[in-house]
Amino acid sequence: MENFKNTLNSNLLKSEVLGKILFSSSVINDKVSELGNRITEDYSGKDLLLVSVLRGGAIFVTDLARKIDIGLTIDFMSISSYHGIHQTSTGVVKITKDLEDSIEGKDVIIVEDIIDTGLTISYLLRNLKSRYPGSIEICTLLDRNVRRIANINIKYIGFSIGEEFVVGYGLDYKQKYRNLDSIYELKLDMVKKDIEHLQNEPVDT
Ligand code: IMP
Ligand code: MG
């Protein structure tokens, strides 16, 4: 795997990995404003706490928070759950960094980059609901409901997408590409070839 990472860094050009732009930065910006306006209306007079799920949700939450025109707090949580491209998440989720503060009585919105099978978020929901929040809702930038396994109710959705694996605006492939300001399709063929190529290579001693 370490080799693969190095190969991606050195041999593959950005243009070989990234496919077409699905959502440009200006389209994302408009959508984030729209979500911010809705949340501003829905949460006026409430004690709003945005819970961002690291690392993917970090970029989205900082933009979203600035489009919400009421007092709020932000807290971060880190969980590990996803294994590779298009592998179904097992639902086995580990909290690797918990929230700093109590959420008791708070009106919580969990802010996610993408909800795929929904297994990660349903674990998180169960976990946070047991901490007595005043209310709890979900806001996700991307919703891939074609692969949904868990039955969850998402109040705020930015865009719905299909099977394509996407990177940018917080979303990664092997921890890279989170810093792109638009959301791109990943060229899976290229990356697959890269892995095959590596598997046929003699192993360095
Ligand atoms: P779920 O438990 O299957 O809903 O997994 C959701 C998590 O998988 C997200 O928070 C992402 O970290 C990751 N993920 C799922 N699809 C993609 C994608 O297309 N690009 C990047 N990360 C993804
Ligand atoms: Mg994530």
Side-chain angles (χ1 to χ4, degrees):
M1 263 309 141
E2 204 47 49
N3 267 339
F4 175 48
K5 266 190 212 156
N6 293 339
T7 308
L8 253 192
N9 285 342
S10 53
N11 297 347
L12 283 181
L13 301 171
K14 212 162 127 179
S15 62
E16 293 177 313
V17 178
L18 303 180
K20 70 170 198 278
I21 291 185
L22 273 190
F23 306 107
S24 68
S25 61
S26 74
V27 166
I28 295 170
N29 191 52
D30 289 350
K31 184 58 78 177
V32 175
S33 296
E34 188 190 309
L35 291 169
N37 290 339
R38 280 180 57 198
I39 293 172
T40 302
E41 277 181 25
D42 295 349
Y43 283 81
S44 80
K46 296 194 174 170
D47 192 5
L48 177 60
L49 165 66
L50 301 180
V51 168
S52 165
V53 186
L54 297 172
R55 302 173 213 181
I59 287 175
F60 177 36
V61 81
T62 54
D63 282 349
L64 181 66
R66 283 174 288 181
K67 303 288 187 191
I68 299 174
D69 196 17
I70 54 170
L72 58 79
T73 50
I74 307 178
D75 207 343
F76 293 92
M77 213 168 163
S78 195
I79 54 183
S80 59
S81 64
Y82 201 77
H83 312 282
I85 311 176
H86 280 192
Q87 266 180 27
T88 307
S89 109
T90 55
V92 179
V93 177
K94 201 172 103 197
I95 295 180
T96 51
K97 183 214 166 295
D98 207 342
L99 298 173
E100 297 296 327
D101 300 322
S102 161
I103 64 168
E104 197 173 329
K106 302 236 176 218
D107 296 299
V108 176
I109 301 180
I110 306 176
V111 181
E112 261 284 24
D113 51 355
I114 181 167
I115 298 180
D116 187 27
T117 63
L119 291 171
T120 310
I121 197 84
S122 55
Y123 167 86
L124 210 58
L125 262 180
R126 269 199 310 281
N127 183 293
L128 295 183
K129 274 180 180 165
S130 73
R131 305 182 192 192
Y132 308 106
S135 64
I136 188 157
E137 298 289 352
I138 301 167
C139 175
T140 187
L141 183 66
L142 303 178
D143 175 29
R144 185 191 284 125
N145 63 21
V146 288
R147 284 165 40 87
R148 191 66 33 80
I149 295 170
N151 183 21
I152 43 168
N153 186 20
I154 311 174
K155 187 162 185 188
Y156 305 101
I157 295 174
F159 306 102
S160 294
I161 63 164
E163 292 274 359
E164 59 275 35
F165 194 89
V166 293
V167 294
Y169 198 72
L171 291 136
D172 73 304
Y173 174 64
K174 305 275 178 195
Q175 298 304 333
K176 289 185 73 189
Y177 309 110
R178 295 191 195 275
N179 57 324
L180 300 170
D181 61 4
S182 299
I183 294 178
Y184 293 75
E185 241 174 65
L186 193 76
K187 280 187 185 163
L188 274 180
D189 290 359
M190 242 351 269
V191 176
K192 271 186 198 147
K193 262 187 218 147
D194 196 46
I195 294 170
E196 279 159 22
H197 166 75
L198 265 174
Q199 282 168 344
N200 294 332
E201 290 268 281
V203 180
D204 281 8
T205 53

